Amino acid sequence: MCGITKRVERMERTKAAEKDAGAGGQHARPGAVVNRAMTTFSPADEEKQRGVRQMKLTATGLLVFVAVVYVLAKWAQNSGAGPWAGYVAAAAEAGMVGALADWFAVTALFRHPLGIPIPHTAIIPTKKDQLGVSLGEFVGENFLSEDVVRQRLRAVGIGSRLGAWLAVPEHADRVTAELSTALRGALTVLRDSDVQAVVGEAITRRANAQEIGPGIGKMLEKVVADGGHKRVVDLVVTRAHDWLVLHRDEVMDAVEGGAPGWTPRFVDRKVGERVYKELLRFATEMCDMPAHPARGALDRFLTDFASDLQSDTDTRARIERLKGEVLGRGEVQDLIASAWTAVRSMIVAAAEDERSELRLRVRASLLSLGSRMAAERKVQDKVDQWVEDAAVYVVTTYRKEITSLITDTVASWDAEHTTKKIEANIGRDLQFIRINGTVVGSLAGLLIYTVSRALGA
């Protein structure tokens, strides 16, 4: 019945602790995460607790044993049994003192001895939060300092190890596959509308922030100076000549249709033929004569226009207005959207294909990087420095957040269950302190009594 009662009480305490934790009880800080491992007992904890109880019985039994020995020795001493009884009584008496003192010390860690609220007892349940703060400060000062982090990482030699690992083709294949999976996942998660909006806004903002007239003017000036525009002129006049040859009737009809209604038809026909012949002659001469006056006039126009783009205020203002109108058109935004869709599809397809140029290049780059990192000390030092700087930045920037994780976690633990948990894990070893105290106390008492007798005390 006693065992059933204890089990019921334990279950009730566990439920109460879980209820307090769920409601943000008195032991939990705001925003702290309650560690359920410190509010429940696992079968392993129950087994450890049984071991603690067995060791407590052993240590208490040893105390009872020396107490009985002390009583018997004192009785024998008073009965005139001989000097040996005094030695035994002294050893037993000191053993009782040592056992009681160590019992008090061990018990004071977890609870008030005999239920009496003696100062500086029940240290773990009453000082739990302070212990958490001290533990967090200890970790922050001794494990999250810049010197410690750099020393540990430098001893590991990450650059050379990573290089040797990457230089293995199987490992490079694995990294390539993981990178491809991550890339596909990222592109799948991203919404086209969001990316298009960001890209469109970035292009528009950058275009609006920088005047394009002078840049276009410099580029046009260089093109004209190098004669690069002549190929375009040749293409245009050649296509114009070919078009005129194939569309003679359309040109003549257009001329005749624009003639006044009172002119005779044959006159309109003659005028149309004359206009067509002049246009064809002009296009033919433009094609055959590199030094045609019209080409020179075009060169001068482009040169003047390039100069105006760089220096003329009105021309530059017109170009800026035109730029704004073009960027604001829906066709341009649709072009950006279609470009992103095409690029994303291309990247996803390349990431999925193991023989794609993208994956082959990534794999080759990883193998090359691994070989260099494994062989070149300069590259190793550079990688080690990057890793060290990144780790130092994290620990120095977020040291408070890291240590507060320890502090808040300890503060969120229920004091009673934390005490039981700790006692179950280390209590068995602590009971050896009581046993050792009994044994060492007995030996010390025997030694003191012997020395006293030898000195005639």
Side-chain angles (χ1 to χ4, degrees):
M1 292 297 292
C2 182
I4 296 176
T5 303
K6 289 183 178 179
R7 179 176 294 182
V8 172
E9 291 176 352
R10 188 186 307 118
M11 292 176 63
E12 291 177 350
R13 286 196 299 269
T14 302
K15 290 180 179 180
E18 291 177 350
K19 181 178 180 180
D20 291 341
Q26 59 182 357
H27 298 290
R29 290 185 181 179
V33 178
V34 178
N35 190 339
R36 292 185 59 84
M38 297 304 293
T39 59
T40 57
F41 253 47
S42 65
D45 293 330
E46 294 286 357
E47 182 64 28
K48 292 176 182 177
Q49 194 172 47
R50 282 192 291 270
V52 173
R53 286 197 293 266
Q54 292 174 359
M55 287 305 301
K56 282 184 178 181
L57 290 175
T58 302
T60 303
L62 185 57
L63 172 59
V64 173
F65 173 75
V66 295
V68 172
V69 170
Y70 172 74
V71 172
L72 294 176
K74 292 299 288 184
W75 175 78
Q77 185 180 21
N78 293 333
S79 300
W84 63 268
Y87 287 93
V88 174
E93 182 180 12
M96 287 190 298
V97 173
L100 290 172
D102 288 339
W103 166 83
F104 183 90
V106 172
T107 304
L109 286 173
F110 305 104
R111 60 189 58 85
H112 297 299
L114 301 177
I116 303 174
I118 302 173
H120 305 292
T121 59
I123 295 174
I124 290 178
T126 57
K127 299 292 184 180
K128 175 178 63 68
D129 292 353
Q130 291 89 328
L131 291 174
V133 173
S134 299
L135 178 61
E137 293 176 351
F138 175 81
V139 172
E141 293 174 1
N142 295 277
F143 294 91
L144 300 181
S145 64
E146 179 177 350
D147 295 337
V148 172
V149 172
R150 290 191 181 277
Q151 181 180 359
R152 294 297 182 184
L153 292 177
R154 195 172 296 116
V156 172
I158 294 178
S160 60
R161 291 191 179 188
L162 180 60
W165 190 84
L166 278 178
V168 179
E170 291 79 5
H171 297 164
D173 292 338
R174 179 180 175 184
V175 174
T176 302
E178 295 296 336
L179 290 175
S180 300
T181 301
L183 180 60
R184 291 198 307 270
L187 292 177
T188 302
V189 170
L190 291 175
R191 293 191 303 178
D192 290 345
S193 59
D194 294 338
V195 177
Q196 293 162 6
V198 171
V199 174
E201 192 273 337
I203 294 176
T204 302
R205 183 177 66 252
R206 184 170 181 81
N208 290 331
Q210 185 174 2
E211 187 179 358
I212 64 172
I216 296 176
K218 290 181 180 179
M219 180 181 67
L220 180 60
E221 185 178 41
K222 182 173 179 57
V223 169
V224 174
D226 295 339
H229 68 294
K230 293 181 179 179
R231 294 183 180 179
V232 178
V233 175
D234 292 340
L235 176 63
V236 172
V237 296
T238 300
R239 293 298 300 273
H241 176 271
D242 295 341
W243 187 88
L244 287 172
V245 172
L246 296 175
H247 299 84
R248 177 177 180 277
D249 294 337
E250 285 87 342
V251 174
M252 295 185 64
D253 290 342
V255 174
E256 292 176 12
W262 50 268
T263 56
R265 295 282 298 173
F266 75 93
V267 174
D268 297 339
R269 189 70 180 174
K270 289 291 185 180
V271 172
E273 290 179 353
R274 182 66 179 177
V275 170
Y276 172 76
K277 290 180 180 180
E278 290 298 323
L279 289 175
L280 184 61
R281 181 184 63 78
F282 178 78
T284 303
E285 291 177 352
M286 284 281 290
C287 290
D288 298 338
M289 298 174 58
H292 193 278
R295 288 178 175 266
L298 180 61
D299 292 346
R300 290 190 296 274
F301 167 77
L302 293 176
T303 301
D304 294 340
F305 185 57
S307 177
D308 291 341
L309 286 173
Q310 299 179 64
S311 58
D312 185 68
T313 304
D314 293 338
T315 303
R316 290 166 59 177
R318 292 194 189 99
I319 293 297
E320 288 300 306
R321 287 194 298 270
L322 178 62
K323 177 189 70 177
E325 294 175 359
V326 171
L327 291 175
R329 294 185 65 86
E331 293 85 347
V332 176
Q333 299 302 318
D334 293 341
L335 177 62
I336 295 174
S338 61
W340 160 248
T341 302
V343 169
R344 190 191 66 169
S345 300
M346 179 183 64
I347 295 176
V348 170
E352 292 177 347
D353 184 6
E354 295 183 358
R355 308 307 301 171
S356 66
E357 187 68 20
L358 175 63
R359 292 187 61 161
L360 292 177
R361 286 183 178 273
V362 171
R363 180 181 182 276
S365 299
L366 290 174
L367 288 172
S368 175
L369 177 61
S371 300
R372 291 187 60 193
M373 289 172 60
E376 299 181 19
R377 182 65 183 177
K378 183 177 180 180
V379 179
Q380 295 174 8
D381 293 340
K382 184 176 294 187
V383 173
D384 290 342
Q385 188 65 41
W386 288 343
V387 174
E388 290 176 18
D389 292 342
V392 168
Y393 173 79
V394 172
V395 298
T396 54
T397 304
Y398 301 102
R399 178 186 296 153
K400 184 177 179 180
E401 287 76 4
I402 297 173
T403 56
S404 67
L405 177 63
I406 300 174
T407 304
D408 294 342
T409 300
V410 174
S412 69
W413 293 344
D414 178 76
E416 179 182 356
H417 286 276
T418 301
T419 302
K420 291 179 62 178
K421 191 90 168 182
I422 295 175
E423 185 177 13
N425 283 272
I426 67 173
R428 190 172 186 275
D429 294 325
L430 292 178
Q431 297 309 311
F432 280 102
I433 296 177
R434 296 176 57 189
I435 297 174
N436 294 335
T438 305
V439 176
V440 173
S442 299
L443 295 176
L446 179 59
L447 178 61
I448 294 172
Y449 185 80
T450 301
V451 172
S452 299
R453 296 286 294 178
L455 295 176

